Structures are given as C-alpha cells and as structure tokens.
Amino acid sequence: MSEATPILHMLDPRKHVSPFDVNMAADAGYKVIVPYTQVEVSDVTPLIQDAIFSRPPNYGVRTGFFMGGKDAIMALDMIDAAKKAMVPPFECSVFADPAGSFTTAAAMVACVERVLKFKFGRSWKGVKVAVFGATGVVGFASSIIAALEGADVQLVAHRGVDRVIKSAAVSKERFGVDLEPVNGETIEQKRDVIANAEVIFAAAAAGVQVVSKEHMEIAKNLVVIADVNAVPPPGVEGMELFMDGAPLAGSSVLGVGPLAIGDIKYKTESGLFKQMLESDKPLALDFRHAYAMAKQLTGLV
C-alpha cells in the first residue's frame, strides 16, 4: 500500500477544472492530479473502469475521483454511475463537491447550528429556515442538509417560483425531504418570508444583497443569519466577513459571515481529501459526509 502513488482524477462537465479544488487536492497529499473536462455522466463508467483495472486491487484506495462542475444533481449522478462501475475487488474512492457547494453548504449549516446550540440551546428540529439563492448549488445543498436534520425549510424564489418548485420536487424524490417553495419576487412577499423566518441562509450570487437593515427590523423571529457572499456588497447588510455568532449592528440577530464559513469549508474539503487518502477501504463522499466533517470541525460532535 505504501508503494502506491496517490492519484486523483478530476471530472468536470465545464471547460476548466477548478484551480481551487486542484490546489486543495495537492495540499491534502495527492501526488498525481489529472483533470478531465467536458465530461458527461455517460463518460464516468469507462473512466472509472480504466482506472481501477490498471492497478492491483490493494492500490484502489489510493485512486480517487473528484466530481466537480456547477450542477449538484449531475455530480451526484456521476457518483452513482461511479459506484455502479466498480467491479470488486477493483474499486476506488469518489468525492463530489460541485463548485465547492457541498462543503460550503455543510460548513454554513454547521456554523449556524453551533450558534443555535451554544447561544440558544436549540437543534435544527422545527427551526423555520428561509433559503435565499435556493436554486444555486450552495442553497440547494444547505436546504437539504437542514431539512434532513429536522428544520422546516422554505426555498425563496426571486425570479419565478417554478424553479424552486422543481428543486423541491427533486429534493423530495432523491432525499425524502419536504421543502416549501415560496415566492419572494415582490417587496411584500419577501418581507413576509423574512418576518416569519428564525434562520436565514443568504446564498445568492456574489455581490447581490438579499437582506437589508430594514428587513432586520421586521424580522421579529429571526435569531441567526448566515451569508456566504464575500464579494461587496455583502448578501446581508451589515454582515462582517469574520462574524461567527456576533450580533449585527443595531440588531439582536446573530450573524455568521462568509470567512467564518469559509474557514470551516476549507478544512472540510481538505479533511475529506485526506479521509480518502488515509482510508483502508474505498469511500463515496457527498454533502452528507461533508456535513459530518463540518460538525466535527465546529465542535458539535
């Protein structure tokens, strides 16, 4: 086993593989990293089998595949295809983290959970969560993680409710969670959503502010708000980059900022790469494993 060179094959449906993920994998300990671009789900089986049959079975745990891109469902489909392509004892490890979304979502949910637990003595059970940017990969993954933990999750639409209805249907079909699509297109609709939320995940596009100070004034039930946007303006007005459970200025709402989340995200992705490298059996890692790692990193377990 010690003689096996750690090799990582990085699959991406886009034109480029993410340099962020390449650097993370190299720093975690992979010695050979090979990018594959414009990859489709149908390409996964031959790539997996080419890799596993070229090495002795006991080298399989030092062979890894990383599924990138920007489509959460496609990345999960790639993992499913990879698992079906294995021919025991010829196997390898696989890890999906499209656009860093699974590890970012896991970090956001865990960071907010830490605030809920240590500041309010609460778990996710029954907490009313509103997700802005719900059709993005981070919003999609964070909504499912929170719902699996027992939260009541609303997917907030800002450009037509059809897209979040579709996301809710996919989430129900694949993960058995009930997510509520709500319309937040108008000022009044958005105010109603914020007024009833206890936790808000701000996961909209970089540089887009979704929650203002005025919104905070009407958010009488809101206790924690998290923002993954580090590009000015912040997704939440008044959010500071390193906030980690401190109150937003002029408010009792506790904020969790993008760099507090980013610190856990970075350690989570690195930790999962190392987990693959150190495991004595093949692993298949997705957002659920990322969340388990993030909970460890935030002291929740």
Side-chain angles (χ1 to χ4, degrees), residues 158-171:
H158 68 281
R159 284 200 311 265
V161 76
D162 289 348
R163 293 175 68 203
V164 292
I165 289 174
K166 182 179 178 180
S167 290
V170 169
S171 302

Side-chain angles (χ1 to χ4, degrees), residues 63-135:
T63 308
F65 275 77
F66 179 85
M67 283 58 174
K70 290 201 75 171
D71 186 323
I73 294 300
M74 184 175 184
L76 292 169
D77 286 344
M78 283 184 167
I79 282 222
D80 288 343
K83 290 192 289 187
K84 291 174 183 174
M86 308 289 182
V87 185
F90 293 93
E91 299 175 276
C92 63
S93 289
V94 292
F95 172 22
D97 194 19
S101 61
F102 289 173
T103 48
T104 300
M108 177 165 63
V109 176
C111 285
V112 171
E113 184 176 0
R114 176 171 58 185
V115 176
L116 286 172
K117 179 178 180 178
F118 294 115
K119 297 292 179 71
F120 302 100
R122 299 182 67 180
S123 69
W124 280 115
K125 187 70 175 176
V127 172
K128 298 184 188 317
V129 179
V131 182
F132 288 87
T135 56

Side-chain angles (χ1 to χ4, degrees), residues 53-72:
F53 290 136
S54 65
R55 310 187 87 182
N58 64 316
Y59 278 26
V61 291
R62 297 296 168 264
T63 308
F65 275 77
F66 179 85
M67 283 58 174
K70 290 201 75 171
D71 186 323

Side-chain angles (χ1 to χ4, degrees), residues 256-279:
V256 179
L259 295 191
I261 295 167
D263 176 62
I264 299 300
K265 177 266 185 300
Y266 177 93
K267 293 174 180 175
T268 297
E269 184 172 347
S270 177
L272 292 177
F273 276 130
K274 290 175 182 176
Q275 198 174 92
M276 285 204 301
L277 282 166
E278 295 166 2
S279 177

Side-chain angles (χ1 to χ4, degrees), residues 6-7 19 21 29 34 65 78-79 120 124 146 150 166 178 180 183 188 222 227 236 255 261 269 279-280 290 293 298:
I7 300 173
D21 296 324
V34 186
F65 275 77
M78 283 184 167
I79 282 222
F120 302 100
W124 280 115
K166 182 179 178 180
D178 292 307
E180 181 187 359
N183 210 326
E188 292 75 18
L222 189 62
D227 183 7
V236 176
I261 295 167
E269 184 172 347
S279 177
D280 59 0
M293 174 73 69
T298 50

Side-chain angles (χ1 to χ4, degrees), residues 154-229:
Q154 291 186 322
L155 308 179
V156 186
H158 68 281
R159 284 200 311 265
V161 76
D162 289 348
R163 293 175 68 203
V164 292
I165 289 174
K166 182 179 178 180
S167 290
V170 169
S171 302
K172 177 67 173 178
E173 178 186 354
R174 294 193 69 130
F175 308 106
V177 295
D178 292 307
L179 307 177
E180 181 187 359
V182 295
N183 210 326
E185 289 184 272
T186 70
I187 293 173
E188 292 75 18
Q189 289 168 336
K190 187 173 179 180
R191 285 169 62 92
D192 286 345
V193 170
I194 292 172
N196 291 305
E198 294 176 293
V199 168
I200 289 176
F201 295 156
V208 176
Q209 188 168 104
V210 293
V211 180
S212 67
K213 288 183 178 178
E214 185 219 355
H215 289 136
M216 294 292 189
E217 294 171 1
I218 62 169
K220 302 304 182 184
N221 299 319
L222 189 62
V223 292
V224 187
I225 187 164
D227 183 7
V228 296
N229 178 21

